[in-house]
């Protein structure tokens, strides 16, 4: 074992080595192995012994420990919002100083920058200098534990390891002390260099506290908690739903200050309150804001979004107000911008309100308000609603009980849109060409047609993709995404592009009801003739223009005139962000075919509570928008063509309804004067209102670090605790529209608690659902809403560094608190050892030996055959001339003579006999008795001559021998002579006999 330790080899399971005692038994058993030869038998025994030894060693799991060299130090630099700028500069200076003064040549160092996340700024290397940081991290939090984990993963395995943490210690997530203990267990030391600071002139608004639910006209207190590090004067402002409610001077005392503002409102619904404290000497104003939410149980609040600034909904709003509802009407630019604002209403009505007036995020907010918080949604028809308003494939379509995609009609209305792009001189021109085209594609249905015309610097006016069904959106979007700077050039004239669009739209293969052309340009190209524009208009094709970045006012006039000639709209855009909305709106022009304008009498197909109380029936309507009912929707009323008129369903915990006609004089003029108008619409909206929340369920929210804490107290009407309820909830963050579930724990009688991370600033809207049984076994279920505002990141709440946390981390990590003068590269750590397991190598060698053992016992190798095979193979391989062996002359005269005789013998029939004679005679001097003194050369020459003449040589004439065939064997039977001893002929026999005598004579002489 000492020998193995000298080579740094250790065994994890050394007791397995006892199996080596089986080796003598294997030798004993191998004696009886039947093998062809002694050598192969010994080889088999040796292979088996070696194989068993390898397997036993592998079972013992040997490993090789290689000691590392040098020291590796990873610096962890805190770059979160709580670190002042001067401390960040000090951190960089500290790192560079340590590298310059303490690092040895064999040492390595690296840098990790962290905040809410961690990034490797520099890997471990021998040389490093940091002038400024290039990595970007999320500075809204501090996760020291995550930075330690990243450093441990980045360390090389063959060196001593040390982490130097530079931070203020104000962690907002993770457990740095626990992670330091784990690092120490893996021989990683952690030392800390505190980034110290104190904000002397600082105030922090800690919390805004108010009741979660109050009744209408019931006063309630808004409590504002302010933490101040100094004494002084300040101003407190309170905003309710974004409007300033009160402003008052306050005096701040050192420590925690509480200010109470009493509020009262008669508007029911969800309300938000924001408090702001301002002071002249405050160091950081970002943390002087806080928010809270309250639900007012009172009159239902209804928001009407009207595309005509109230003209389409004036009669509807009056009817709802007459029924005791609080109605607010907003135009195209007045849609709320946050989920909290949408959720403050009990119902949302879209009255002929185009989708282009809403951003995608606003649509997501409306959908979330319905699905997650129970807000009602009603869409009322018009030329800018449903499919004709561009709601195909939008989140609002998902929330409604009808689909904008028409599939079940015998005649499906369709439209065709041709887009002409000239955006080369717009900033990011190709990008905006892509965005506006994609926005238009999203509006169109698969039954519609779309084409894209542009002027290319290489191809001139041409189609990027010709007019075709919008169902090929995947391929069309792929072409749009590959646009390059050469694909949209500086168009010289509108004339040819308009002619191409006209030819495409009038093609008989484009069977569309409505056809439209949209041009985007700076107005610089040569304008087309009015005759061409009038010709296009007379063919039922309209033209709209979008002017952006014009060179002169005349360019705007050119585009405006072109739109007037073509019977379309003219836009002058000064903000590129408006382009997608405009093109989505223009794309809906070809959706006007979805509108049916003819009188009809509504027919009830399914009774609904909104339709009760009208025994005389309903008046006629003059038009509607075609839609398709969804499979799970309730189709309550239909038109004369059996298209949906009134449909309802539940979406999440909310309700939604679709009325495909309007509530205005255009299609509903007979309804406006109808006595049941107010009753009908009030019943529809009341059905949409969320169910009343249980007043016995109280929700309290608070922020603790980077997590929100929710406490729910549940009692019954008698004040008894409600236990055993199952709470489930979700929270959505505005404006990112993030969503996460909430899990509750039953912590006390009637109390349920939950926490969730809230490190991102914003308004967190919470929807909580519960179900269970009371003491009598009656089923209890319901839904409550609440909210929580995070006005600033948790990093802004700290006013001083937390050195206690840093000390605990250093203690847990086996390090110390170091200063600028200390040496971070002190070589006082045990070097790390790299462990390499050896058992995989042993198993691999053992596997090879196993197959060798089988092979040497089962396979017999004939060496003669192998040599012959190699000779044949070698003869077939062509070799270059310079690799062929050089010709070698005869070593002696006798051998040369024999070779010449052999060559001559091959030229005639008798020569083989002579050649055989030469080979068998050997070398010598005189051999014939009849020619005394004859040399070997003379003899061979004579034999060659005789063989060529075919004359028998009397001197070498063989003696007559009796053939063995004439002699009987022991049994009396004649035995034939073997073939290999029979002479091949008269001449051959004589030569062989002469050779024999010559060999005997030369042998006697020798």
């Amino acid at each position: 074992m000492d020998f193995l330790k000298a080579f740094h080899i250790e065994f994890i399971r050394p007791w397995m080595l006892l199996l080596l005692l089986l080796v003598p038994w294997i030798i004993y058993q191998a004696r009886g192995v039947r093998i062809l030869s002694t050598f192969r038998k010994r080889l088999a025994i040796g292979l088996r012994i070696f194989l068993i030894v390898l397997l036993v060693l592998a079972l013992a799991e040997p490993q090789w420990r290689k000691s590392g060299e040098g020291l590796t130090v990873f610096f962890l630099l805190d770059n979160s919002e709580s670190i002042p700028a001067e401390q960040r500069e000090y951190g960089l200076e500290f790192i560079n100083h340590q590298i310059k003064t303490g690092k040895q040549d064999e040492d390595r160092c690296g840098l990790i920058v962290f905040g809410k996340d961690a990034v490797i700024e520099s890997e471990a290397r021998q040389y490093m200098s940091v002038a400024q940081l290039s990595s970007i991290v999320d500075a809204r939090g501090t996760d020291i534990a995550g930075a330690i984990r990243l450093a441990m993963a980045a360390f090389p395995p063959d060196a001593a390891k040390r982490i130097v943490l530079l931070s203020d210690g104000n962690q907002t997530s993770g457990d740095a002390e626990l992670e330091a203990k784990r690092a120490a267990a893996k021989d990683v030391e952690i030392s800390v260099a505190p980034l110290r600071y104190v904000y002397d002139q600082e105030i922090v608004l800690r919390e805004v506290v108010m009741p979660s639910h109050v009744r209408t006209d019931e006063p309630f207190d808004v409590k504002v908690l302010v933490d101040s590090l100094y004494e002084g004067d300040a101003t407190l402002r309170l905003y309710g739903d974004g409007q300033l409610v009160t402003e008052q001077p306050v005096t701040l005392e050192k420590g925690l200050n509480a200010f109470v503002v009493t509020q009262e409102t008669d508007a029911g619904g969800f309300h938000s309150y924001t408090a702001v404290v301002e002071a002249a000497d405050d160091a950081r104003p970002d943390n002087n804001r806080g928010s809270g939410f309250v639900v007012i149980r009172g009159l239902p609040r209804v928001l009407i979004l009207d595309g005509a600034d109230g003209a389409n909904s004036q009669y509807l709003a009056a009817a709802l107000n007459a029924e005791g509802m609080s109605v607010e009407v907003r135009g195209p630019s007045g849609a709320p911008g946050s989920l909290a604002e949408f959720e403050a209403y009990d119902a949302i009505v879209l009255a002929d309100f185009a989708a282009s007036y809403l951003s995608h995020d606003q649509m997501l907010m409306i959908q979330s308000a319905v699905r997650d918080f129970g807000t009602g949604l009603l869409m009322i028809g018009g030329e800018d609603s449903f499919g004709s308003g561009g709601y195909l494939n939008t989140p609002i379509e998902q929330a409604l009980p009808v689909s904008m995609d028409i599939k079940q009609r015998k005649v499906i209305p369709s439209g065709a849109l041709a887009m002409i792009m000239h955006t080369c001189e717009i900033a990011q021109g190709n990008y905006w060409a892509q965005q506006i085209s994609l926005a238009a594609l999203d509006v169109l249905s698969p039954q519609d047609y779309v084409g894209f015309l542009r002027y290319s610097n290489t191809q001139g006016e041409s189609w990027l993709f010709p007019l075709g069904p919008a169902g090929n959106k995947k391929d069309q979007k792929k072409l749009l995404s590959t646009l390059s700077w050469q694909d949209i050039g500086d168009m010289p004239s509108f004339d040819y592009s308009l002619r191409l669009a006209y030819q495409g739209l009038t093609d008989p293969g484009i069977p569309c009801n409505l056809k439209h052309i949209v041009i985007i340009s700076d107005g610089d190209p040569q304008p087309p003739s009015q005759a061409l524009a009038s010709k296009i208009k007379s063919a039922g094709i309209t033209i709209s223009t979008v002017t952006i970045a014009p060179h002169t006012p005349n360019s705007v006039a050119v585009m405006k005139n072109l739109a007037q000639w073509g019977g379309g709209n003219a836009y002058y855009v000064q903000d590129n962000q408006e382009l997608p909305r405009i093109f989505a709106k223009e794309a809906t022009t070809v959706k006007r075919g979805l509108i049916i304008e003819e009188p009809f009498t509504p027919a009830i197909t399914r009774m609904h509570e909104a339709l009760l109380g009208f025994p005389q029936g309903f008046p006629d309507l003059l038009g509607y928008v075609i839609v398709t009912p969804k499979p799970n929707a309730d189709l309550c009323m239909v038109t004369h063509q059996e298209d949906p008129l009134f449909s309802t369903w539940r979406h999440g915990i909310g309700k939604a309804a679709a009325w495909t006609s309007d509530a205005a004089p255009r299609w509903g003029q007979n309804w406006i004067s109808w006595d049941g108008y107010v009753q009908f619409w009030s019943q529809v909206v009341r059905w949409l209102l969320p169910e009343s929340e249980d007043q016995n369920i109280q929700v309290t929210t608070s922020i603790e670090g980077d997590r929100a804490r929710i406490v729910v107290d549940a009692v019954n009407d008698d004040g008894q605790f409600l236990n055993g309820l199952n709470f489930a909830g979700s929270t959505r963050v505005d404006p990112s529209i993030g969503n996460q579930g909430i899990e509750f724990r039953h912590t006390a009688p009637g109390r349920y608690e939950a926490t969730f991370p809230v490190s991102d600033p914003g308004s967190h809207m919470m929807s909580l659902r519960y179900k269970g049984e009371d003491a009598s076994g009656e089923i209890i279920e319901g839904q409550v809403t609440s909210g929580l505002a995070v006005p600033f990141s948790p990093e802004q709440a700290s006013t001083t560094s937390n050195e206690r946390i840093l000390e605990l981390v250093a203690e847990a990590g086996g390090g110390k608190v170091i200063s600028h003068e200390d040496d971070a590269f002190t070589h006082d750590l045990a070097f790390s050892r790299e462990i390499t397991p050896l058992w995989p190598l042993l198993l691999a060698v053992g596997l090879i030996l196993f197959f060798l053992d089988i092979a040497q016992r089962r396979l017999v190798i004939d060496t003669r055959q192998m040599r012959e095979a190699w000779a044949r193979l070698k003869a077939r391989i062509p070799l270059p001339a310079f690799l062929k062996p050089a010709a070698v002359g005869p070593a002696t005269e006798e051998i040369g003579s024999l070779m010449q005789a052999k060559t001559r013998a091959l030229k005639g029939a008798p020569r083989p006999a002579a050649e055989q004679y030469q080979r068998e005679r050997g070398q010598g001097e005189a051999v014939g008795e009849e020619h005394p003194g004859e040399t070997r050369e003379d003899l061979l020459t004579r034999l060659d001559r005789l063989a060529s003449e075919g004359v028998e040589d009397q001197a070498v004439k063989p003696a007559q021998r009796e053939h063995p065939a004439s002699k009987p064997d022991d049994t009396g039977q004649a035995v034939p002579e073997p073939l290999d001893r029979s002479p091949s002929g008269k001449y051959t026999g004589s030569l062989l006999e002469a050779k024999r005598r010559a060999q005997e004579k030369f042998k006697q002489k020798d």
Side-chain angles (χ1 to χ4, degrees):
M1 289 299 178
D2 293 336
F3 170 77
L4 294 176
K5 289 183 178 179
F7 288 92
H8 306 288
I9 296 177
E10 300 176 356
F11 293 94
I12 297 178
R13 296 189 292 181
W15 59 87
M16 285 292 180
L17 297 176
L18 295 175
L19 294 176
L20 293 176
L21 298 176
L22 297 175
V23 172
W25 177 78
I26 294 172
I27 298 175
Y28 177 79
Q29 292 293 328
R31 293 184 309 166
V33 175
R34 295 182 179 181
I35 202 81
L36 296 178
S37 67
T38 302
F39 170 77
R40 292 177 63 187
K41 181 177 180 179
R42 293 175 179 175
L43 178 61
I45 295 174
L47 287 175
R48 292 182 184 182
I49 293 174
F50 196 15
L51 176 59
I52 294 299
V53 170
L54 289 176
L55 292 178
V56 172
L57 292 176
L59 291 174
E61 296 189 37
Q63 56 186 13
W64 178 43
R65 289 182 174 267
K66 177 185 177 182
S67 297
E69 297 180 357
L71 172 67
T72 300
V73 177
F74 255 109
F75 295 95
L76 275 54
L77 181 59
D78 190 344
N79 201 36
S80 60
E81 289 180 354
S82 62
I83 307 296
E86 59 273 13
Q87 289 299 310
R88 298 185 187 187
E89 294 177 1
Y90 167 77
L92 293 176
E93 193 275 332
F94 176 91
I95 294 171
N96 289 322
H97 172 76
Q98 292 291 333
I99 295 174
K100 183 178 180 181
T101 60
K103 180 183 172 300
Q104 300 181 17
D105 292 340
E106 68 272 15
D107 295 337
R108 286 171 285 183
C109 56
L111 174 60
I112 292 177
V113 182
F114 69 95
K116 189 177 179 180
D117 53 356
V119 177
I120 297 178
E121 173 77 13
S122 176
E123 296 180 350
R125 60 184 66 172
Q126 289 187 332
Y127 305 100
M128 184 183 74
S129 178
V130 184
Q132 60 182 4
L133 299 178
S134 59
S135 301
I136 298 176
V137 297
D138 189 345
R140 295 175 298 178
T142 302
D143 186 2
I144 299 176
I148 294 175
R149 286 194 298 269
L150 180 60
M152 291 173 62
F155 270 116
D158 57 347
K161 304 177 180 68
R162 174 177 289 136
I163 291 175
V164 177
L165 172 64
L166 294 91
S167 174
D168 62 352
N170 290 312
Q171 59 179 347
T172 61
S173 60
D175 189 338
E177 184 179 359
L178 177 60
E179 203 62 44
K181 292 179 180 179
R182 293 174 178 171
K186 296 183 179 180
D187 298 328
V188 179
E189 181 198 277
I190 300 180
S191 293
V192 298
L195 300 179
R196 300 180 175 92
Y197 63 88
V198 175
Y199 289 105
D200 296 327
Q201 301 292 108
E202 178 70 4
I203 58 175
V204 180
L205 198 155
R206 295 296 182 183
E207 191 174 2
V208 176
V209 182
M210 64 184 67
S212 60
H213 295 77
V214 297
R215 298 180 183 274
T216 305
D217 299 327
E218 177 185 350
F220 60 93
D221 293 334
V222 179
K223 184 180 295 185
V224 182
L225 303 180
V226 181
D227 191 3
S228 177
L229 298 181
Y230 68 99
E231 298 178 355
D233 296 331
T235 302
L236 173 63
R237 295 184 178 91
L238 184 66
Y239 297 86
D241 296 329
Q243 303 296 321
L244 180 62
V245 174
T246 182
E247 178 179 341
Q248 61 188 47
V250 294
T251 300
L252 297 174
E253 301 291 338
K254 192 172 183 180
L256 190 62
N257 299 263
F259 305 103
V260 179
V261 180
T262 302
Q263 290 294 296
E264 181 179 342
T265 180
D266 59 353
F270 198 91
H271 298 271
S272 65
Y273 286 86
T274 301
V276 178
V277 179
E278 296 180 355
D281 298 330
D282 186 25
R284 294 183 300 174
D286 292 340
N287 54 12
N288 298 356
R289 176 183 296 268
S291 298
F293 299 90
V294 62
V295 177
I296 307 296
R297 298 186 178 94
L299 297 177
R301 298 186 66 192
V302 180
L303 172 64
I304 299 179
L305 297 178
D306 189 340
D309 285 322
N312 294 325
S313 60
Q314 57 179 332
Y315 298 98
L316 175 63
L320 298 180
N321 280 322
E323 287 296 307
M325 300 184 191
S326 175
V327 181
E328 183 178 354
V329 180
R330 298 190 185 186
S333 60
S338 68
L339 179 58
E341 292 181 79
F342 279 112
E343 209 278 330
Y345 298 95
D346 298 295
I348 301 171
V349 180
L350 302 176
D352 201 11
F353 195 80
S356 59
Y357 298 139
L358 296 170
S359 68
H360 185 71
D361 280 352
Q362 287 174 312
M363 293 187 189
L364 286 173
M365 293 172 193
I366 293 176
Q367 182 190 24
S368 177
V370 177
R371 180 188 58 210
D372 302 320
F373 299 97
T375 302
L377 175 63
L378 171 63
M379 179 174 284
I380 297 178
E383 65 177 10
D384 286 329
S385 64
F386 297 105
S388 64
Y391 284 97
L392 178 67
N393 298 324
T394 63
I396 289 182
E397 182 192 29
Q398 298 175 15
L400 290 173
V402 294
S403 172
M404 317 308 169
D405 192 8
I406 312 303
K407 300 178 181 179
Q408 300 178 356
R409 290 177 60 88
K410 295 180 180 179
V411 179
I412 300 177
S414 61
L417 175 66
M419 293 179 285
I420 300 176
M421 296 293 160
H422 174 215
T423 60
C424 64
E425 297 181 60
I426 305 173
Q428 295 182 301
N430 288 348
Y431 168 78
W432 287 113
Q434 295 167 1
Q435 295 304 306
I436 59 184
S437 302
L438 295 175
L441 279 173
D442 289 337
V443 172
L444 302 177
S445 66
Q447 291 76 31
D448 298 318
Y449 287 73
V450 63
F452 185 103
L453 270 166
R454 92 289 199 212
Y455 177 83
S456 170
N457 291 329
T458 58
Q459 302 178 14
E461 292 90 342
S462 61
W463 295 94
L464 177 65
F465 53 84
L467 281 165
N472 300 326
K473 290 183 180 180
K474 183 177 180 181
D475 296 335
Q476 293 160 349
K477 290 181 178 180
K478 184 177 180 181
L479 288 172
L480 288 169
S481 64
T482 58
L483 283 173
S484 67
W485 65 272
Q486 298 182 6
D487 291 322
I488 303 179
D490 196 3
M491 185 183 299
S493 172
F494 287 126
D495 189 86
Y496 189 62
S497 295
L498 278 173
R499 292 183 185 276
L500 288 176
Y502 171 73
Q503 293 173 3
L505 291 171
T506 56
D507 189 291
I510 309 295
C512 298
N513 307 79
L514 295 173
K515 301 176 182 180
H516 190 50
I517 299 174
V518 183
I519 303 173
I520 179 171
S521 174
D522 57 9
D524 187 44
Q526 185 69 25
S529 64
Q530 185 175 354
L532 175 60
S534 300
K535 179 181 179 181
I536 294 174
K537 182 179 178 181
S538 62
I541 304 172
T542 54
I543 304 174
S544 290
T545 61
V546 181
T547 307
I548 186 167
H551 296 290
T552 64
N554 183 60
S555 299
V556 180
V558 168
M559 298 290 283
K560 184 176 180 180
N561 291 336
L562 181 54
Q564 290 177 348
W565 296 340
N569 301 314
Y571 302 91
Y572 177 23
V573 179
Q574 297 180 343
D575 183 1
N576 293 352
Q577 301 288 341
E578 299 179 12
L579 288 172
R581 181 183 64 82
I582 290 174
F583 268 74
K585 180 180 179 181
E586 284 300 309
T588 60
T589 302
V590 302
K591 306 299 293 179
R592 296 294 185 260
L594 297 174
I595 296 175
I596 303 294
E597 293 192 288
E598 54 190 35
F600 67 93
T601 302
I604 297 177
T605 57
R606 181 188 180 95
M607 186 51 65
H608 189 274
E609 60 185 85
L611 305 179
L612 299 176
F614 305 102
Q616 304 301 323
F618 301 90
D620 289 348
L621 292 166
L622 304 181
Y624 65 97
V625 183
I626 302 173
V627 296
T628 300
K630 292 182 179 178
N632 297 327
D634 292 331
L635 184 57
C636 303
M637 300 179 74
V638 297
T639 69
H640 60 304
Q641 296 189 17
E642 298 186 354
D643 290 319
L645 175 62
F646 181 54
S647 305
T648 63
W649 78 341
R650 283 185 173 271
H651 183 61
I653 64 174
K655 305 172 187 176
W659 177 262
T660 58
S661 188
D662 66 6
R666 178 175 178 178
W667 296 336
Q669 59 183 350
N670 297 328
W671 281 55
I672 293 174
S673 58
W674 175 45
D675 293 339
Y677 183 86
V678 174
Q679 179 184 351
F680 172 79
W681 285 113
S682 64
Q683 290 181 176
V684 170
V685 174
R686 288 190 184 279
W687 178 80
L688 293 170
L689 298 178
E691 299 174 357
S692 299
E693 295 185 355
D694 192 344
Q695 300 182 14
N696 295 325
I697 306 295
Q698 296 293 325
V699 181
T700 305
T701 60
S702 61
I703 300 176
E704 299 175 357
D706 64 339
R707 302 189 67 82
R709 182 168 177 261
I710 308 174
V711 178
V712 179
D713 292 304
V715 296
N716 59 17
D717 294 335
D718 299 329
Q720 297 177 342
F721 295 120
L722 292 176
N723 298 316
L725 298 181
N726 293 320
F727 274 88
S730 63
T731 175
R732 286 192 165 266
V733 182
D734 175 21
S736 62
I737 319 299
N739 185 24
Q740 58 181 320
I742 304 175
E743 296 183 0
F744 281 83
R745 296 176 295 109
H746 193 177
T747 59
R751 172 161 290 191
Y752 307 83
E753 297 184 25
T755 62
F756 61 91
V758 290
S759 56
D760 295 326
S763 300
H764 295 255
M765 307 303 301
M766 292 173 288
S767 175
L768 312 179
R769 296 175 295 279
Y770 60 91
K771 186 175 182 180
E773 297 181 357
D774 60 9
S776 62
E778 182 179 355
I779 299 297
I780 302 174
E781 60 180 329
Q783 179 261 341
V784 294
T785 59
S786 185
L788 178 70
V790 182
F792 50 83
S793 71
E795 289 291 316
Q796 297 290 341
S798 61
T799 59
T800 182
S801 56
N802 192 338
E803 294 191 41
R804 178 55 183 162
I805 291 293
L806 297 177
E807 292 173 358
L808 292 175
V809 171
E811 181 180 351
K816 59 183 179 180
V817 178
I818 61 177
S819 63
H820 192 275
E821 292 75 19
D822 294 324
D823 184 7
F825 287 89
T826 303
H827 283 233
D828 56 357
L829 300 177
F831 288 113
S832 175
R833 293 185 176 183
E834 182 180 3
I835 299 177
T836 303
L838 299 179
W839 65 265
L841 177 63
L842 297 175
L843 283 181
V845 176
L847 184 62
I848 296 173
L849 292 179
F850 174 74
F851 287 109
L852 288 178
D853 178 49
I854 295 176
Q856 70 88 24
R857 287 187 290 109
R858 299 295 183 184
L859 301 179
V860 178
I861 301 176
D862 191 330
T863 57
R864 181 180 62 82
Q865 291 180 353
M866 291 182 64
R867 287 195 301 270
E868 292 177 355
W870 169 247
R872 289 193 298 269
L873 178 63
K874 186 176 179 182
R876 292 177 179 272
I877 300 176
L879 295 176
F882 67 88
L883 292 179
K884 292 181 179 179
V888 179
T892 62
E893 271 188 30
E894 289 82 1
I895 295 177
S897 299
L898 291 172
M899 293 176 64
Q900 292 175 2
K902 177 180 179 181
T903 302
R904 289 193 300 271
L906 292 174
K907 295 180 179 179
R911 290 298 174 90
E915 182 179 358
Q916 179 70 18
Y917 178 78
Q918 291 172 351
R919 287 198 302 267
E920 296 185 284
R921 284 292 295 248
Q923 300 180 2
E925 297 177 357
V927 296
E929 295 177 358
E930 294 80 359
H931 302 274
E934 186 180 35
T935 65
R936 180 182 299 176
E937 182 178 1
D938 296 336
L939 173 62
L940 294 175
T941 302
R942 181 163 54 83
L943 290 175
D944 289 340
R945 178 177 56 78
L946 293 175
S948 62
E949 295 175 357
V951 179
E952 182 176 3
D953 186 6
Q954 298 299 324
V956 296
K957 182 176 181 180
Q960 296 294 327
R961 293 183 300 169
E962 184 179 1
H963 290 284
S966 62
K967 298 179 181 180
D969 59 4
D970 295 339
T971 61
Q973 299 294 329
V975 179
E977 182 182 6
L979 293 177
D980 58 351
R981 297 181 57 185
S982 301
S984 58
K986 177 175 65 174
Y987 305 111
T988 302
S990 63
L991 290 174
L992 290 175
E993 184 62 25
K995 177 181 179 181
R996 184 182 62 78
R997 292 198 302 272
Q999 287 176 337
E1000 291 177 353
K1001 188 170 183 66
F1002 286 126
K1003 185 180 298 185
Q1004 292 174 359
K1005 286 186 175 184
D1006 293 340

